[in-house]
Amino acid sequence: MTDLLDDFKEQIEEIFEEIQNGLNNELPSIINGTERIERCKYYKQRLQRVGVIRKSMFHELNDLSSPQEKNQWEQIINNFEVEQASLQQKLLRAESVTPTISKNITAKDMTTAAKNIQQQSKESASRTKQVVDNIIMIGTDITNDLQQQTEQLENIEGNTELLESNLKRADVQVRIIMRNLQKDKIFLSMFFIMIVSIISAIIVIFLMSKSEEKNFIKEGESIS
């Protein structure tokens, strides 16, 4: 648990260091009032982040088992609150101060400053263009993915219709085969009856011929 608190502590200290450097080095060199206000606004937002982290630290204190350790961290968090309030006041003063141009500034310094501003504007425009290009690229990829998914759905729908058509054709073929089997059964039955009839006729003829032969023999014996 202390590892998480140490991480929160490190984040707050980094934010305080960033804001202090801005107050000491960056803001005094900004001549443009609008730009100065924007930078102060940015640092205020960073201080708001400190407030969020402090609340998270207070929440984590409930899981500490050692009262002494808990008191130590409460003191650290309270010190952070005091430092946060102090930096907030410094930012308000820096925001309200009207920057003055030194009389010792030369034309070369003014030119250098203008070039720096121009370079920063170019870099900002380049970053903005890169972001826009990335957004366009992402939008294109999403469009292609949606198109592929649409094509896949259309193929699935087409395959389903083809499957239904094949099933209907198969059902018709099965019915035709069943009808043909019924016809074949009738034909086989008739063929079987015909074979039985022929065999029966042969047997009857054979028996009749035997009977006539016996009668002929008896008649010959009686004559003699």
Side-chain angles (χ1 to χ4, degrees):
M1 189 57 60
T2 55
D3 291 339
L4 185 57
L5 288 171
D6 287 333
D7 182 64
F8 285 150
K9 178 175 177 290
E10 184 178 349
Q11 291 183 42
I12 292 178
E13 289 174 346
E14 289 178 354
I15 294 174
F16 283 166
E17 183 179 359
E18 177 187 1
I19 295 174
Q20 194 62 54
N21 289 334
L23 288 168
N24 295 335
N25 302 320
E26 181 183 10
L27 293 178
S29 63
I30 297 177
I31 301 174
N32 185 283
T34 302
E35 183 181 355
R36 187 185 187 87
I37 292 174
E38 287 297 322
R39 292 305 296 169
C40 289
K41 182 179 178 181
Y42 165 76
Y43 288 130
K44 288 179 182 178
Q45 292 174 348
R46 296 292 286 161
L47 281 179
Q48 291 176 358
R49 172 62 182 163
V50 170
V52 174
I53 298 175
R54 284 180 46 252
K55 290 180 180 179
S56 299
M57 293 179 74
F58 272 119
H59 178 72
E60 296 298 327
L61 291 181
N62 297 327
D63 297 330
L64 293 178
S65 57
S66 172
Q68 183 179 1
E69 190 176 19
K70 185 175 182 180
N71 291 333
Q72 291 176 351
W73 278 107
E74 285 180 348
Q75 184 62 41
I76 292 174
I77 296 172
N78 291 332
N79 292 337
F80 283 155
E81 183 179 7
V82 173
E83 181 67 19
Q84 180 182 0
S86 174
L87 290 174
Q88 183 76 25
Q89 292 298 321
K90 291 180 180 179
L91 285 173
L92 290 174
R93 287 195 297 269
E95 188 176 16
S96 61
V97 169
T98 303
T100 56
I101 302 176
S102 175
K103 296 180 179 180
N104 296 327
I105 193 169
T106 63
K108 181 179 179 181
D109 294 333
M110 293 291 292
T111 303
T112 302
K115 288 182 179 180
N116 291 335
I117 294 173
Q118 185 180 13
Q119 182 63 29
Q120 292 175 1
S121 300
K122 288 181 179 180
E123 292 175 356
S124 177
S126 178
R127 288 193 297 268
T128 303
K129 182 178 181 299
Q130 185 176 0
V131 171
V132 172
D133 291 339
N134 290 335
I135 293 173
I136 294 174
M137 185 180 300
I138 293 172
T140 303
D141 293 339
I142 293 174
T143 302
N144 293 333
D145 291 340
L146 290 175
Q147 185 175 359
Q148 291 177 0
Q149 292 177 3
T150 302
E151 292 176 354
Q152 291 175 356
L153 291 174
E154 291 176 351
N155 292 334
I156 292 173
E157 183 179 358
N159 292 334
T160 303
E161 293 177 353
L162 180 61
L163 179 60
E164 290 178 355
S165 176
N166 290 336
L167 288 173
K168 291 180 181 178
R169 292 176 58 188
D171 182 63
V172 172
Q173 294 295 329
V174 169
R175 292 184 181 182
I176 293 173
I177 291 172
M178 293 300 294
R179 285 199 296 267
N180 291 335
L181 286 175
Q182 293 293 334
K183 293 179 181 179
D184 291 341
K185 286 181 180 179
I186 296 172
F187 175 76
L188 290 174
S189 299
M190 294 178 63
F191 182 74
F192 177 75
I193 292 172
M194 184 179 65
I195 295 297
V196 171
S197 300
I198 292 173
I199 293 174
S200 300
I202 292 173
I203 293 173
V204 170
I205 293 171
F206 177 75
L207 292 175
M208 289 178 63
S209 63
K210 286 291 184 180
S211 176
E212 289 178 356
E213 184 179 351
K214 288 180 180 180
N215 291 334
F216 179 76
I217 293 172
K218 288 181 180 180
E219 290 177 355
E221 289 178 352
S222 63
I223 295 174
S224 58

